[in-house]
Amino acid sequence: FKQKTAYEISLGLVGSEMCIRDRYEELFSIDTMDSATKANMWRVVNDGVMGGVSNSAMMPPSPNSPGFSRFAGTVRLENNGGFASVRRALPNSDASAYKGVYVKCKAAMKERDEKKQFLLLAKDAECSRNFGTNFKSAFTVKSADDWEVKLFPFEKCFKKGERMGRPIERGPINVKEVTELGLMILRGEEAQVGKFGLDVEEVGFYV
């Protein structure tokens, strides 16, 4: 992983609850989202798997937005749909040396995206063997002008697994076998529906 040294306080959310106020000493990036090659490593998983018609993609950098990618699309409710996501495979990454996951991001559009709630997804090897299971931690972004480093500590944000939004009986995420990270937007409040955008500069682990 690419290493950076820094210090920051950030907030992560679980559901609608504050996850923890945490700090980092070093960042170890998995992806710096500054190229089409990196953006294309994030595969799309939308509600079409259930008959919905929402759309999304991890859009690569452009001349007007160099140096970062954009998770963007439209959440639609037809056919009982209502979610869009992108996923990044991490074949059995041992993350036991790290405190958690970080995402350096900002809202793509003022007001519209500053009101939306996004989700960070994580899977371990057991989740990957059982279709539809994962860990989710919700977050918001304050601004379309300033980058934020959102922190998601393993011990607080990935304690309870779920399948299709329903709790499952199992322990916390196995940090020795992290297999996937993802970004999602899900139906809920009225502001969640329609076009969205989340600018992403880096994703990785932190200590």
Side-chain angles (χ1 to χ4, degrees), residues 21-50:
R21 187 177 292 270
D22 204 9
R23 62 182 63 184
Y24 70 80
E25 295 180 358
E26 294 178 294
L27 300 177
F28 297 82
S29 65
I30 298 167
D31 287 333
T32 51
M33 305 296 294
D34 57 359
S35 70
T37 299
K38 289 293 187 179
N40 290 338
M41 296 180 77
W42 292 72
R43 65 186 176 92
V44 174
V45 181
N46 294 330
D47 56 15
V49 299
M50 303 167 62

Side-chain angles (χ1 to χ4, degrees), residues 7 24 28 39 42 45-46 64 86 112 147 158 177 191 194 201:
Y7 175 92
Y24 70 80
F28 297 82
W42 292 72
V45 181
N46 294 330
N64 293 327
V86 288
R112 184 196 72 180
W147 292 100
F158 304 111
E177 295 183 322
E201 188 172 79

Side-chain angles (χ1 to χ4, degrees), residues 7-11 20-24 142 149 151:
Y7 175 92
E8 181 135 344
I9 294 176
S10 186
L11 295 176
I20 190 172
R21 187 177 292 270
D22 204 9
R23 62 182 63 184
Y24 70 80
K142 298 177 182 178
V149 177
L151 303 179

